[in-house]
Amino acid sequence: MIQTPYYLIDKTKLLRNMEKIAYLRETSGAKALLALKCFATWSVFDLMRDYMDGTTSSSLNEARLGHERFGKETHAYSVAYADYEIDEVVSHADKIIFNTIGQLRRFEKPSAGIIRGLRLNPGVSSSSFDLADPARPFSRLGEWDLAKVEPVMDLISGFMIHNNCENKDFDLFDRMLGDIEEKFGPLLKKADWVSLGGGIHFTGEDYPIDRFAERLKRFSGEYDVQVYLEPGEASITKSTTLEVTVLDKLYNGKDLVVVDSSIEAHMLDLLIYRESAKVSPNQGPHRYMVCGKSCLAGDIFGEFDFPDELKVGDRISIQDAAGYTMVKKNWFNGVKMPAIAIRELDGSIRTVREFSYTDYEQSLS
């Protein structure tokens, strides 16, 4: 058995998402780009590239990774590019998307050789978290004034609009897209392509994917644009677990277990958004608070029900541990970094990366 903690990517589960993405591409005409900000574990790109059109990035490093490890189309976006980055970004990208008109004009000459776009902010989003809401008051994410964008249309050929966040509600997506059309219709008519970003949970169970495909196709036809989607979480949802081992048990008003992992180090988004991890099936008469081994008092995965009493040495699988998780893992407390393993389509498991003290030491100075 592989020594815990480790992330386990199951290619069979990943394939289910890929097949839904392929179906959507075929029925809607939209292209799908993997959002590397959510998931960038390139050891499974060999499977994913057969079902997706390329990658989209949020930094120079992500753009380079997408170009070198995934291939196909490489879209580069950043909230702000530095002068020393721009030439290298352009060398890796097929399209570059600027966050503001100021950045577009600043880097007009160095980016002249590739396709350019601009981010638009429609002022509405599906986010229930202010922290993640691109349309929050005083947002820096994209241009919102049609009158200011009109004069730079000769410098760009398309737009990126990212205003969905964990949106499982097709009707909400439909209404927000209608808002976008109403606000930016004259600009969209002049574009060749439009990326509607990520955050749309169209690979989830019971999502009306055919209605979604029809809406995308209709949008594409109305404005004569190539539609892009940037699925992150939708690409890898329910494909990956974080495998951990119980190290200790105690009782302090509740039954607690301590595992050889840390929510702050290995599932940081849960801590940031104050959400519980997931354990399946989460049923049974024995309830435990599962705690991480770092010194942070709130290092708690959550409370879960188990069919049997837990004991030291038992293993627990924390579900849905890929999106915005593996890309955010860190060395807090020097806690052992989880290895990365892959369950192949034939059921065999191989370890693709282990981390050592040297990795910890060299991540510092």
Side-chain angles (χ1 to χ4, degrees), residues 1 19 61 69-70 99 103 118 128-129 141 198 211-212 217 255 337 353 365:
M1 295 181 70
E19 289 173 340
N61 284 339
R69 291 291 186 174
F70 199 102
N99 185 61
Q103 283 259 302
L118 184 67
S128 57
F129 295 101
L141 301 176
R211 292 178 63 198
F212 183 49
K217 192 170 185 177
D255 287 309
M337 185 71 70
R353 181 66 198 271
S365 59

Side-chain angles (χ1 to χ4, degrees), residues 57-131:
S57 58
S58 299
S59 65
L60 166 58
N61 284 339
E62 286 186 352
R64 179 175 175 176
L65 183 74
H67 175 67
E68 294 184 354
R69 291 291 186 174
F70 199 102
K72 305 182 81 169
E73 284 195 57
T74 303
H75 287 204
Y77 165 77
S78 176
V79 172
Y81 297 106
D83 289 1
Y84 65 83
E85 294 179 311
I86 193 66
D87 288 339
E88 188 176 353
V89 170
V90 169
S91 74
H92 296 304
D94 301 294
K95 287 186 178 70
I96 185 167
I97 300 164
F98 292 99
N99 185 61
T100 64
I101 293 170
Q103 283 259 302
L104 171 63
R105 290 197 181 279
R106 181 181 183 87
F107 298 119
E108 177 182 347
K109 288 184 179 179
S111 64
I114 62 172
I115 296 170
R116 293 181 295 213
L118 184 67
R119 179 169 183 170
L120 297 179
N121 189 330
V124 294
S125 84
S126 67
S127 178
S128 57
F129 295 101
D130 179 67
L131 182 65

Side-chain angles (χ1 to χ4, degrees), residues 18-32 51 53 209-210 213 217:
M18 294 296 102
E19 289 173 340
K20 290 182 179 179
I21 289 173
Y23 176 79
L24 182 67
R25 289 167 66 209
E26 180 180 352
T27 54
S28 71
K31 293 186 176 184
Y51 297 87
D53 297 284
I209 195 166
D210 288 313
K217 192 170 185 177

Side-chain angles (χ1 to χ4, degrees), residues 207-331:
Y207 191 89
I209 195 166
D210 288 313
R211 292 178 63 198
F212 183 49
E214 187 278 329
R215 185 66 174 95
L216 295 176
K217 192 170 185 177
R218 180 154 43 94
F219 177 85
S220 175
E222 173 70 21
Y223 299 97
D224 192 23
V225 293
Q226 173 62 59
V227 172
Y228 287 90
L229 298 175
E230 301 177 5
E233 193 78 52
S235 301
I236 45 77
T237 185
K238 297 185 178 180
S239 69
T240 303
T241 57
L242 173 60
E243 302 293 315
V244 302
T245 297
V246 176
L247 301 179
D248 197 10
K249 295 176 61 177
L250 62 155
Y251 180 82
N252 189 3
K254 292 183 177 181
D255 287 309
L256 315 177
V257 293
V258 178
V259 299
D260 58 352
S261 180
S262 163
I263 188 172
E264 182 164 18
H266 306 153
M267 298 193 79
L268 182 60
D269 246 23
L270 297 180
L271 184 65
I272 291 173
Y273 292 104
R274 298 184 180 276
E275 294 183 325
S276 174
K278 302 172 186 174
V279 169
S280 183
N282 196 14
Q283 294 178 347
H286 301 279
R287 187 167 185 81
Y288 293 91
M289 179 183 287
V290 178
C291 308
K293 66 173 294 182
S294 82
C295 67
L296 180 71
D299 190 351
I300 298 168
F301 287 88
E303 294 187 37
F304 311 103
D305 298 319
F306 296 88
D308 301 304
E309 184 178 346
L310 291 179
K311 56 186 181 298
V312 171
D314 283 347
R315 293 199 171 190
I316 300 173
S317 293
I318 307 296
Q319 304 295 303
D320 233 357
Y324 297 100
T325 295
M326 300 176 76
V327 294
K328 292 189 177 186
K329 61 186 184 296
N330 61 73
W331 287 104

